[in-house]
Amino acid sequence: MRVYTLDNPVFATYVIAAALMVLKLMGQGWMTVYRMMKSNSGLASPEDAQKGLLNAAPDPSQLEVNDYVDRSRRMHRNDLENIPGFWVAGLLFVAVNPAVWLAQVLMYGFVAARAAHFVAYATKQSHEVRATFYTIGSLIVIYMALHVLWVVLF
Amino acid sequence: MRVYTLDNPVFATYVIAAALMVLKLMGQGWMTVYRMMKSNSGLASPEDAQKGLLNAAPDPSQLEVNDYVDRSRRMHRNDLENIPGFWVAGLLFVAVNPAVWLAQVLMYGFVAARAAHFVAYATKQSHEVRATFYTIGSLIVIYMALHVLWVVLF
Amino acid sequence: MRVYTLDNPVFATYVIAAALMVLKLMGQGWMTVYRMMKSNSGLASPEDAQKGLLNAAPDPSQLEVNDYVDRSRRMHRNDLENIPGFWVAGLLFVAVNPAVWLAQVLMYGFVAARAAHFVAYATKQSHEVRATFYTIGSLIVIYMALHVLWVVLF
């Protein structure tokens, strides 16, 4: 059976979830850009504190770490630690032909968990709230990888 | 010939190696969590130094960088610099229909090199030991990408 | 129609662009290694400041952040924030069977934008120049993800 085709509802589910996570990940970069421009600080490289279109009044203090901007970078790093693992585990999961409902619960569940993690991190919720959504997303990825290994090896 | 199907032993090899690296990458996040909880330090965000289920005795010093926790974050970063490249190079390598033995040597070789890198980094082996395993993994990924370009372009 | 086969010119385009970005990403790691060895500084872990084959004259100052080495690490981080999103958005884009010319413009455009970003960052061009190439690459990835969602959902 061909699995990597849009006729397969499991693959279609994967394509939707994976594309949404592409938008989430790329959007986080733009949130950092927005926060750098709004706060006029948290710049990454020495040459960024020069006069230019993006920086009308340069100042060396613009290169210092600023929690408003750095929070977006930490969110980005957390995404990088979780989303690529989902992309690959999901792609492999499609290969082993799981039930459609299971793929939908896991893949849309991951998208929902990461959306909730985003809100919790951006609004500075307690470590417990953020950790809960991180855990849900991480366990979904780990489950998919274990399921794949089980089917292929046994 | 269909290549992205579990009947193809090269793809089956890829699925096993890629799923193992998903577990390695996600596990590194949990190693950081374990080390944060065990040392009660190395927390990432200001709001984490608040009283809560995960933090019975909060203290501002919990936000300072701690090598025990930061080592796990550096290992995670090194994984992020190498494993996604492997996932993609391996997936492309399947498309060009290589010999099964070659795929097995390269893909399981990458898994073994990263496992050895993990042990070397966690147990603070010398830079030379860690660099050796990093180099093996990196060269495997680079070889697969060059092999793919060679087949497709020539 | 089978899409994930080298007979499909859209997939062949993806394979070439994705393999080039594997080489770019892995090469950035080696640029960091080269800069660490040339400047004999910017080392990542305490144990790296020990005498050994890679470090004939160790000194604690070798562990301090050094812009020459850190610039390569920031370039690497920027790659990690953009290239994996391209790999996945491009793979999904192949599934929806776009026009060959569109795939070529977007995928080779991404490769060109990231090559230009590399040169701009390495040679310390102004923030505006670097931001322009970052923006082109990021918008290409976002466009591909939106295009995929449009085709699959509507």
Side-chain angles (χ1 to χ4, degrees), chain A residues 115-149:
Chain A
H117 184 272
F118 169 80
V119 173
Y121 216 154
T123 60
K124 306 184 194 182
Q125 299 304 307
S126 72
H127 201 170
E128 286 76 10
V129 172
R130 206 173 82 226
T132 300
F133 296 124
Y134 167 82
T135 300
I136 295 171
S138 183
L139 291 181
I140 287 173
V141 173
I142 290 169
Y143 172 79
M144 290 197 297
L146 289 173
H147 183 119
V148 164
L149 286 173

PDB file of all heavy atoms in Angstrom, chain A residues 115-149:
ATOM      1  N   ALA A 115       0.717  24.745  21.107  1.00  0.00           N
ATOM      2  CA  ALA A 115       0.027  26.034  21.131  1.00  0.00           C
ATOM      3  C   ALA A 115      -0.168  26.483  22.583  1.00  0.00           C
ATOM      4  O   ALA A 115       0.045  27.652  22.922  1.00  0.00           O
ATOM      5  CB  ALA A 115      -1.312  25.929  20.407  1.00  0.00           C
ATOM      6  N   ALA A 116      -0.567  25.541  23.453  1.00  0.00           N
ATOM      7  CA  ALA A 116      -0.771  25.876  24.868  1.00  0.00           C
ATOM      8  C   ALA A 116       0.564  26.244  25.526  1.00  0.00           C
ATOM      9  O   ALA A 116       0.633  27.151  26.358  1.00  0.00           O
ATOM     10  CB  ALA A 116      -1.420  24.696  25.586  1.00  0.00           C
ATOM     11  N   HIS A 117       1.639  25.540  25.148  1.00  0.00           N
ATOM     12  CA  HIS A 117       2.967  25.857  25.679  1.00  0.00           C
ATOM     13  C   HIS A 117       3.373  27.272  25.282  1.00  0.00           C
ATOM     14  O   HIS A 117       3.915  28.032  26.100  1.00  0.00           O
ATOM     15  CB  HIS A 117       3.988  24.836  25.144  1.00  0.00           C
ATOM     16  CG  HIS A 117       5.370  24.998  25.697  1.00  0.00           C
ATOM     17  ND1 HIS A 117       6.309  25.823  25.132  1.00  0.00           N
ATOM     18  CD2 HIS A 117       5.963  24.443  26.785  1.00  0.00           C
ATOM     19  CE1 HIS A 117       7.428  25.758  25.840  1.00  0.00           C
ATOM     20  NE2 HIS A 117       7.246  24.922  26.846  1.00  0.00           N
ATOM     21  N   PHE A 118       3.065  27.628  24.045  1.00  0.00           N
ATOM     22  CA  PHE A 118       3.369  28.975  23.556  1.00  0.00           C
ATOM     23  C   PHE A 118       2.669  30.027  24.412  1.00  0.00           C
ATOM     24  O   PHE A 118       3.296  30.992  24.878  1.00  0.00           O
ATOM     25  CB  PHE A 118       2.909  29.097  22.093  1.00  0.00           C
ATOM     26  CG  PHE A 118       2.922  30.501  21.560  1.00  0.00           C
ATOM     27  CD1 PHE A 118       4.096  31.089  21.125  1.00  0.00           C
ATOM     28  CD2 PHE A 118       1.748  31.247  21.513  1.00  0.00           C
ATOM     29  CE1 PHE A 118       4.108  32.393  20.641  1.00  0.00           C
ATOM     30  CE2 PHE A 118       1.746  32.551  21.034  1.00  0.00           C
ATOM     31  CZ  PHE A 118       2.928  33.124  20.598  1.00  0.00           C
ATOM     32  N   VAL A 119       1.366  29.839  24.644  1.00  0.00           N
ATOM     33  CA  VAL A 119       0.607  30.816  25.436  1.00  0.00           C
ATOM     34  C   VAL A 119       1.149  30.874  26.867  1.00  0.00           C
ATOM     35  O   VAL A 119       1.357  31.962  27.430  1.00  0.00           O
ATOM     36  CB  VAL A 119      -0.899  30.468  25.428  1.00  0.00           C
ATOM     37  CG1 VAL A 119      -1.670  31.378  26.376  1.00  0.00           C
ATOM     38  CG2 VAL A 119      -1.447  30.573  24.013  1.00  0.00           C
ATOM     39  N   ALA A 120       1.420  29.694  27.440  1.00  0.00           N
ATOM     40  CA  ALA A 120       1.905  29.654  28.823  1.00  0.00           C
ATOM     41  C   ALA A 120       3.248  30.369  28.960  1.00  0.00           C
ATOM     42  O   ALA A 120       3.490  31.088  29.940  1.00  0.00           O
ATOM     43  CB  ALA A 120       2.034  28.199  29.291  1.00  0.00           C
ATOM     44  N   TYR A 121       4.133  30.158  27.974  1.00  0.00           N
ATOM     45  CA  TYR A 121       5.467  30.769  28.052  1.00  0.00           C
ATOM     46  C   TYR A 121       5.374  32.283  27.818  1.00  0.00           C
ATOM     47  O   TYR A 121       5.984  33.079  28.543  1.00  0.00           O
ATOM     48  CB  TYR A 121       6.396  30.125  27.023  1.00  0.00           C
ATOM     49  CG  TYR A 121       7.839  29.967  27.472  1.00  0.00           C
ATOM     50  CD1 TYR A 121       8.651  28.971  26.926  1.00  0.00           C
ATOM     51  CD2 TYR A 121       8.404  30.796  28.435  1.00  0.00           C
ATOM     52  CE1 TYR A 121       9.973  28.798  27.330  1.00  0.00           C
ATOM     53  CE2 TYR A 121       9.718  30.636  28.851  1.00  0.00           C
ATOM     54  CZ  TYR A 121      10.498  29.647  28.294  1.00  0.00           C
ATOM     55  OH  TYR A 121      11.805  29.485  28.695  1.00  0.00           O
ATOM     56  N   ALA A 122       4.585  32.675  26.807  1.00  0.00           N
ATOM     57  CA  ALA A 122       4.498  34.102  26.470  1.00  0.00           C
ATOM     58  C   ALA A 122       3.867  34.909  27.602  1.00  0.00           C
ATOM     59  O   ALA A 122       4.221  36.071  27.814  1.00  0.00           O
ATOM     60  CB  ALA A 122       3.699  34.284  25.174  1.00  0.00           C
ATOM     61  N   THR A 123       2.935  34.296  28.344  1.00  0.00           N
ATOM     62  CA  THR A 123       2.244  35.023  29.416  1.00  0.00           C
ATOM     63  C   THR A 123       2.848  34.730  30.784  1.00  0.00           C
ATOM     64  O   THR A 123       2.246  35.047  31.806  1.00  0.00           O
ATOM     65  CB  THR A 123       0.739  34.664  29.418  1.00  0.00           C
ATOM     66  OG1 THR A 123       0.603  33.251  29.627  1.00  0.00           O
ATOM     67  CG2 THR A 123       0.072  35.044  28.097  1.00  0.00           C
ATOM     68  N   LYS A 124       4.033  34.119  30.790  1.00  0.00           N
ATOM     69  CA  LYS A 124       4.788  33.892  32.030  1.00  0.00           C
ATOM     70  C   LYS A 124       4.010  33.106  33.068  1.00  0.00           C
ATOM     71  O   LYS A 124       4.044  33.433  34.257  1.00  0.00           O
ATOM     72  CB  LYS A 124       5.243  35.234  32.636  1.00  0.00           C
ATOM     73  CG  LYS A 124       6.025  36.105  31.670  1.00  0.00           C
ATOM     74  CD  LYS A 124       6.521  37.374  32.364  1.00  0.00           C
ATOM     75  CE  LYS A 124       6.995  38.395  31.341  1.00  0.00           C
ATOM     76  NZ  LYS A 124       7.533  39.611  31.932  1.00  0.00           N
ATOM     77  N   GLN A 125       3.281  32.072  32.628  1.00  0.00           N
ATOM     78  CA  GLN A 125       2.623  31.183  33.591  1.00  0.00           C
ATOM     79  C   GLN A 125       3.683  30.451  34.404  1.00  0.00           C
ATOM     80  O   GLN A 125       4.855  30.425  34.046  1.00  0.00           O
ATOM     81  CB  GLN A 125       1.750  30.159  32.845  1.00  0.00           C
ATOM     82  CG  GLN A 125       0.647  30.787  32.028  1.00  0.00           C
ATOM     83  CD  GLN A 125      -0.249  31.668  32.867  1.00  0.00           C
ATOM     84  OE1 GLN A 125      -0.763  31.228  33.885  1.00  0.00           O
ATOM     85  NE2 GLN A 125      -0.409  32.919  32.469  1.00  0.00           N
ATOM     86  N   SER A 126       3.272  29.821  35.485  1.00  0.00           N
ATOM     87  CA  SER A 126       4.219  29.136  36.369  1.00  0.00           C
ATOM     88  C   SER A 126       4.911  27.991  35.620  1.00  0.00           C
ATOM     89  O   SER A 126       4.414  27.489  34.608  1.00  0.00           O
ATOM     90  CB  SER A 126       3.480  28.570  37.573  1.00  0.00           C
ATOM     91  OG  SER A 126       2.689  27.464  37.174  1.00  0.00           O
ATOM     92  N   HIS A 127       6.080  27.591  36.158  1.00  0.00           N
ATOM     93  CA  HIS A 127       6.868  26.506  35.576  1.00  0.00           C
ATOM     94  C   HIS A 127       6.013  25.238  35.437  1.00  0.00           C
ATOM     95  O   HIS A 127       6.143  24.496  34.463  1.00  0.00           O
ATOM     96  CB  HIS A 127       8.070  26.227  36.480  1.00  0.00           C
ATOM     97  CG  HIS A 127       9.200  25.529  35.799  1.00  0.00           C
ATOM     98  ND1 HIS A 127      10.433  25.368  36.367  1.00  0.00           N
ATOM     99  CD2 HIS A 127       9.282  24.937  34.584  1.00  0.00           C
ATOM    100  CE1 HIS A 127      11.220  24.700  35.536  1.00  0.00           C
ATOM    101  NE2 HIS A 127      10.557  24.434  34.459  1.00  0.00           N
ATOM    102  N   GLU A 128       5.113  25.011  36.404  1.00  0.00           N
ATOM    103  CA  GLU A 128       4.284  23.796  36.409  1.00  0.00           C
ATOM    104  C   GLU A 128       3.364  23.757  35.174  1.00  0.00           C
ATOM    105  O   GLU A 128       3.195  22.706  34.542  1.00  0.00           O
ATOM    106  CB  GLU A 128       3.429  23.740  37.683  1.00  0.00           C
ATOM    107  CG  GLU A 128       4.224  23.385  38.936  1.00  0.00           C
ATOM    108  CD  GLU A 128       5.061  24.547  39.465  1.00  0.00           C
ATOM    109  OE1 GLU A 128       4.899  25.695  38.995  1.00  0.00           O
ATOM    110  OE2 GLU A 128       5.898  24.294  40.343  1.00  0.00           O
ATOM    111  N   VAL A 129       2.748  24.900  34.846  1.00  0.00           N
ATOM    112  CA  VAL A 129       1.830  24.949  33.697  1.00  0.00           C
ATOM    113  C   VAL A 129       2.603  24.669  32.400  1.00  0.00           C
ATOM    114  O   VAL A 129       2.225  23.823  31.581  1.00  0.00           O
ATOM    115  CB  VAL A 129       1.131  26.328  33.620  1.00  0.00           C
ATOM    116  CG1 VAL A 129       0.342  26.461  32.321  1.00  0.00           C
ATOM    117  CG2 VAL A 129       0.242  26.538  34.831  1.00  0.00           C
ATOM    118  N   ARG A 130       3.740  25.401  32.244  1.00  0.00           N
ATOM    119  CA  ARG A 130       4.545  25.233  31.032  1.00  0.00           C
ATOM    120  C   ARG A 130       5.043  23.796  30.920  1.00  0.00           C
ATOM    121  O   ARG A 130       5.016  23.188  29.839  1.00  0.00           O
ATOM    122  CB  ARG A 130       5.743  26.185  31.111  1.00  0.00           C
ATOM    123  CG  ARG A 130       6.305  26.607  29.810  1.00  0.00           C
ATOM    124  CD  ARG A 130       7.351  27.679  30.050  1.00  0.00           C
ATOM    125  NE  ARG A 130       8.630  27.129  30.415  1.00  0.00           N
ATOM    126  CZ  ARG A 130       9.404  27.566  31.415  1.00  0.00           C
ATOM    127  NH1 ARG A 130       9.025  28.580  32.179  1.00  0.00           N
ATOM    128  NH2 ARG A 130      10.564  27.005  31.664  1.00  0.00           N
ATOM    129  N   ALA A 131       5.501  23.246  32.063  1.00  0.00           N
ATOM    130  CA  ALA A 131       6.063  21.887  32.060  1.00  0.00           C
ATOM    131  C   ALA A 131       5.008  20.860  31.675  1.00  0.00           C
ATOM    132  O   ALA A 131       5.316  19.852  31.024  1.00  0.00           O
ATOM    133  CB  ALA A 131       6.654  21.558  33.433  1.00  0.00           C
ATOM    134  N   THR A 132       3.768  21.102  32.050  1.00  0.00           N
ATOM    135  CA  THR A 132       2.696  20.158  31.707  1.00  0.00           C
ATOM    136  C   THR A 132       2.525  20.057  30.197  1.00  0.00           C
ATOM    137  O   THR A 132       2.462  18.950  29.632  1.00  0.00           O
ATOM    138  CB  THR A 132       1.373  20.615  32.353  1.00  0.00           C
ATOM    139  OG1 THR A 132       1.560  20.662  33.769  1.00  0.00           O
ATOM    140  CG2 THR A 132       0.227  19.667  32.001  1.00  0.00           C
ATOM    141  N   PHE A 133       2.480  21.201  29.516  1.00  0.00           N
ATOM    142  CA  PHE A 133       2.275  21.165  28.064  1.00  0.00           C
ATOM    143  C   PHE A 133       3.522  20.638  27.341  1.00  0.00           C
ATOM    144  O   PHE A 133       3.419  19.928  26.340  1.00  0.00           O
ATOM    145  CB  PHE A 133       1.866  22.545  27.541  1.00  0.00           C
ATOM    146  CG  PHE A 133       0.542  22.989  28.109  1.00  0.00           C
ATOM    147  CD1 PHE A 133       0.409  24.181  28.796  1.00  0.00           C
ATOM    148  CD2 PHE A 133      -0.582  22.183  27.962  1.00  0.00           C
ATOM    149  CE1 PHE A 133      -0.815  24.568  29.341  1.00  0.00           C
ATOM    150  CE2 PHE A 133      -1.806  22.562  28.495  1.00  0.00           C
ATOM    151  CZ  PHE A 133      -1.925  23.756  29.191  1.00  0.00           C
ATOM    152  N   TYR A 134       4.704  20.988  27.867  1.00  0.00           N
ATOM    153  CA  TYR A 134       5.950  20.423  27.310  1.00  0.00           C
ATOM    154  C   TYR A 134       5.897  18.894  27.399  1.00  0.00           C
ATOM    155  O   TYR A 134       6.225  18.187  26.442  1.00  0.00           O
ATOM    156  CB  TYR A 134       7.153  20.957  28.098  1.00  0.00           C
ATOM    157  CG  TYR A 134       8.432  20.221  27.823  1.00  0.00           C
ATOM    158  CD1 TYR A 134       9.198  20.510  26.708  1.00  0.00           C
ATOM    159  CD2 TYR A 134       8.870  19.211  28.679  1.00  0.00           C
ATOM    160  CE1 TYR A 134      10.373  19.822  26.447  1.00  0.00           C
ATOM    161  CE2 TYR A 134      10.036  18.516  28.425  1.00  0.00           C
ATOM    162  CZ  TYR A 134      10.786  18.831  27.312  1.00  0.00           C
ATOM    163  OH  TYR A 134      11.941  18.138  27.061  1.00  0.00           O
ATOM    164  N   THR A 135       5.467  18.393  28.548  1.00  0.00           N
ATOM    165  CA  THR A 135       5.437  16.949  28.788  1.00  0.00           C
ATOM    166  C   THR A 135       4.484  16.254  27.826  1.00  0.00           C
ATOM    167  O   THR A 135       4.821  15.199  27.247  1.00  0.00           O
ATOM    168  CB  THR A 135       5.032  16.674  30.245  1.00  0.00           C
ATOM    169  OG1 THR A 135       5.997  17.289  31.104  1.00  0.00           O
ATOM    170  CG2 THR A 135       4.968  15.183  30.534  1.00  0.00           C
ATOM    171  N   ILE A 136       3.301  16.821  27.632  1.00  0.00           N
ATOM    172  CA  ILE A 136       2.338  16.199  26.709  1.00  0.00           C
ATOM    173  C   ILE A 136       2.952  16.097  25.312  1.00  0.00           C
ATOM    174  O   ILE A 136       2.936  15.033  24.684  1.00  0.00           O
ATOM    175  CB  ILE A 136       1.019  17.009  26.678  1.00  0.00           C
ATOM    176  CG1 ILE A 136       0.335  16.956  28.044  1.00  0.00           C
ATOM    177  CG2 ILE A 136       0.081  16.489  25.571  1.00  0.00           C
ATOM    178  CD1 ILE A 136      -0.854  17.905  28.176  1.00  0.00           C
ATOM    179  N   GLY A 137       3.512  17.188  24.827  1.00  0.00           N
ATOM    180  CA  GLY A 137       4.102  17.173  23.489  1.00  0.00           C
ATOM    181  C   GLY A 137       5.241  16.175  23.387  1.00  0.00           C
ATOM    182  O   GLY A 137       5.323  15.393  22.439  1.00  0.00           O
ATOM    183  N   SER A 138       6.125  16.184  24.387  1.00  0.00           N
ATOM    184  CA  SER A 138       7.294  15.307  24.352  1.00  0.00           C
ATOM    185  C   SER A 138       6.872  13.838  24.391  1.00  0.00           C
ATOM    186  O   SER A 138       7.411  12.998  23.650  1.00  0.00           O
ATOM    187  CB  SER A 138       8.200  15.640  25.538  1.00  0.00           C
ATOM    188  OG  SER A 138       9.374  14.867  25.506  1.00  0.00           O
ATOM    189  N   LEU A 139       5.877  13.500  25.230  1.00  0.00           N
ATOM    190  CA  LEU A 139       5.449  12.099  25.326  1.00  0.00           C
ATOM    191  C   LEU A 139       4.792  11.623  24.027  1.00  0.00           C
ATOM    192  O   LEU A 139       4.924  10.455  23.655  1.00  0.00           O
ATOM    193  CB  LEU A 139       4.493  11.904  26.513  1.00  0.00           C
ATOM    194  CG  LEU A 139       5.143  12.059  27.894  1.00  0.00           C
ATOM    195  CD1 LEU A 139       4.105  11.814  28.993  1.00  0.00           C
ATOM    196  CD2 LEU A 139       6.322  11.099  28.073  1.00  0.00           C
ATOM    197  N   ILE A 140       4.096  12.513  23.337  1.00  0.00           N
ATOM    198  CA  ILE A 140       3.498  12.133  22.044  1.00  0.00           C
ATOM    199  C   ILE A 140       4.592  11.750  21.042  1.00  0.00           C
ATOM    200  O   ILE A 140       4.495  10.725  20.356  1.00  0.00           O
ATOM    201  CB  ILE A 140       2.615  13.282  21.499  1.00  0.00           C
ATOM    202  CG1 ILE A 140       1.316  13.371  22.319  1.00  0.00           C
ATOM    203  CG2 ILE A 140       2.302  13.081  20.011  1.00  0.00           C
ATOM    204  CD1 ILE A 140       0.449  14.566  21.992  1.00  0.00           C
ATOM    205  N   VAL A 141       5.639  12.565  20.989  1.00  0.00           N
ATOM    206  CA  VAL A 141       6.735  12.271  20.060  1.00  0.00           C
ATOM    207  C   VAL A 141       7.410  10.947  20.432  1.00  0.00           C
ATOM    208  O   VAL A 141       7.684  10.096  19.577  1.00  0.00           O
ATOM    209  CB  VAL A 141       7.753  13.435  20.034  1.00  0.00           C
ATOM    210  CG1 VAL A 141       8.973  13.068  19.198  1.00  0.00           C
ATOM    211  CG2 VAL A 141       7.090  14.697  19.495  1.00  0.00           C
ATOM    212  N   ILE A 142       7.674  10.774  21.733  1.00  0.00           N
ATOM    213  CA  ILE A 142       8.328   9.549  22.197  1.00  0.00           C
ATOM    214  C   ILE A 142       7.438   8.332  21.905  1.00  0.00           C
ATOM    215  O   ILE A 142       7.910   7.286  21.446  1.00  0.00           O
ATOM    216  CB  ILE A 142       8.659   9.662  23.703  1.00  0.00           C
ATOM    217  CG1 ILE A 142       9.798  10.686  23.893  1.00  0.00           C
ATOM    218  CG2 ILE A 142       9.029   8.310  24.302  1.00  0.00           C
ATOM    219  CD1 ILE A 142      10.039  11.096  25.337  1.00  0.00           C
ATOM    220  N   TYR A 143       6.133   8.470  22.137  1.00  0.00           N
ATOM    221  CA  TYR A 143       5.225   7.357  21.850  1.00  0.00           C
ATOM    222  C   TYR A 143       5.281   6.977  20.368  1.00  0.00           C
ATOM    223  O   TYR A 143       5.367   5.791  20.021  1.00  0.00           O
ATOM    224  CB  TYR A 143       3.770   7.685  22.249  1.00  0.00           C
ATOM    225  CG  TYR A 143       2.872   6.585  21.757  1.00  0.00           C
ATOM    226  CD1 TYR A 143       2.782   5.384  22.453  1.00  0.00           C
ATOM    227  CD2 TYR A 143       2.203   6.687  20.534  1.00  0.00           C
ATOM    228  CE1 TYR A 143       2.033   4.325  21.967  1.00  0.00           C
ATOM    229  CE2 TYR A 143       1.449   5.630  20.042  1.00  0.00           C
ATOM    230  CZ  TYR A 143       1.376   4.454  20.766  1.00  0.00           C
ATOM    231  OH  TYR A 143       0.656   3.398  20.276  1.00  0.00           O
ATOM    232  N   MET A 144       5.236   7.972  19.496  1.00  0.00           N
ATOM    233  CA  MET A 144       5.241   7.662  18.055  1.00  0.00           C
ATOM    234  C   MET A 144       6.522   6.929  17.667  1.00  0.00           C
ATOM    235  O   MET A 144       6.490   5.964  16.879  1.00  0.00           O
ATOM    236  CB  MET A 144       5.052   8.936  17.223  1.00  0.00           C
ATOM    237  CG  MET A 144       3.635   9.504  17.341  1.00  0.00           C
ATOM    238  SD  MET A 144       3.194  10.707  16.040  1.00  0.00           S
ATOM    239  CE  MET A 144       4.382  11.998  16.372  1.00  0.00           C
ATOM    240  N   ALA A 145       7.670   7.360  18.203  1.00  0.00           N
ATOM    241  CA  ALA A 145       8.944   6.707  17.868  1.00  0.00           C
ATOM    242  C   ALA A 145       8.961   5.266  18.381  1.00  0.00           C
ATOM    243  O   ALA A 145       9.420   4.351  17.682  1.00  0.00           O
ATOM    244  CB  ALA A 145      10.118   7.507  18.445  1.00  0.00           C
ATOM    245  N   LEU A 146       8.459   5.042  19.595  1.00  0.00           N
ATOM    246  CA  LEU A 146       8.431   3.680  20.146  1.00  0.00           C
ATOM    247  C   LEU A 146       7.474   2.784  19.355  1.00  0.00           C
ATOM    248  O   LEU A 146       7.779   1.618  19.083  1.00  0.00           O
ATOM    249  CB  LEU A 146       8.007   3.715  21.627  1.00  0.00           C
ATOM    250  CG  LEU A 146       9.037   4.302  22.588  1.00  0.00           C
ATOM    251  CD1 LEU A 146       8.424   4.436  23.991  1.00  0.00           C
ATOM    252  CD2 LEU A 146      10.295   3.437  22.650  1.00  0.00           C
ATOM    253  N   HIS A 147       6.323   3.331  18.991  1.00  0.00           N
ATOM    254  CA  HIS A 147       5.346   2.587  18.193  1.00  0.00           C
ATOM    255  C   HIS A 147       5.982   2.144  16.863  1.00  0.00           C
ATOM    256  O   HIS A 147       5.834   0.989  16.440  1.00  0.00           O
ATOM    257  CB  HIS A 147       4.124   3.489  17.956  1.00  0.00           C
ATOM    258  CG  HIS A 147       2.996   2.861  17.215  1.00  0.00           C
ATOM    259  ND1 HIS A 147       1.734   2.708  17.743  1.00  0.00           N
ATOM    260  CD2 HIS A 147       2.908   2.353  15.962  1.00  0.00           C
ATOM    261  CE1 HIS A 147       0.941   2.129  16.860  1.00  0.00           C
ATOM    262  NE2 HIS A 147       1.626   1.912  15.768  1.00  0.00           N
ATOM    263  N   VAL A 148       6.691   3.048  16.222  1.00  0.00           N
ATOM    264  CA  VAL A 148       7.362   2.745  14.950  1.00  0.00           C
ATOM    265  C   VAL A 148       8.383   1.622  15.143  1.00  0.00           C
ATOM    266  O   VAL A 148       8.408   0.650  14.379  1.00  0.00           O
ATOM    267  CB  VAL A 148       8.048   4.018  14.392  1.00  0.00           C
ATOM    268  CG1 VAL A 148       9.053   3.672  13.309  1.00  0.00           C
ATOM    269  CG2 VAL A 148       6.997   4.998  13.880  1.00  0.00           C
ATOM    270  N   LEU A 149       9.215   1.744  16.169  1.00  0.00           N
ATOM    271  CA  LEU A 149      10.233   0.709  16.405  1.00  0.00           C
ATOM    272  C   LEU A 149       9.571  -0.635  16.684  1.00  0.00           C
ATOM    273  O   LEU A 149      10.029  -1.681  16.210  1.00  0.00           O
ATOM    274  CB  LEU A 149      11.140   1.115  17.574  1.00  0.00           C
ATOM    275  CG  LEU A 149      12.146   2.225  17.246  1.00  0.00           C
ATOM    276  CD1 LEU A 149      12.873   2.677  18.504  1.00  0.00           C
ATOM    277  CD2 LEU A 149      13.163   1.732  16.206  1.00  0.00           C
TER     278      LEU A 149
END
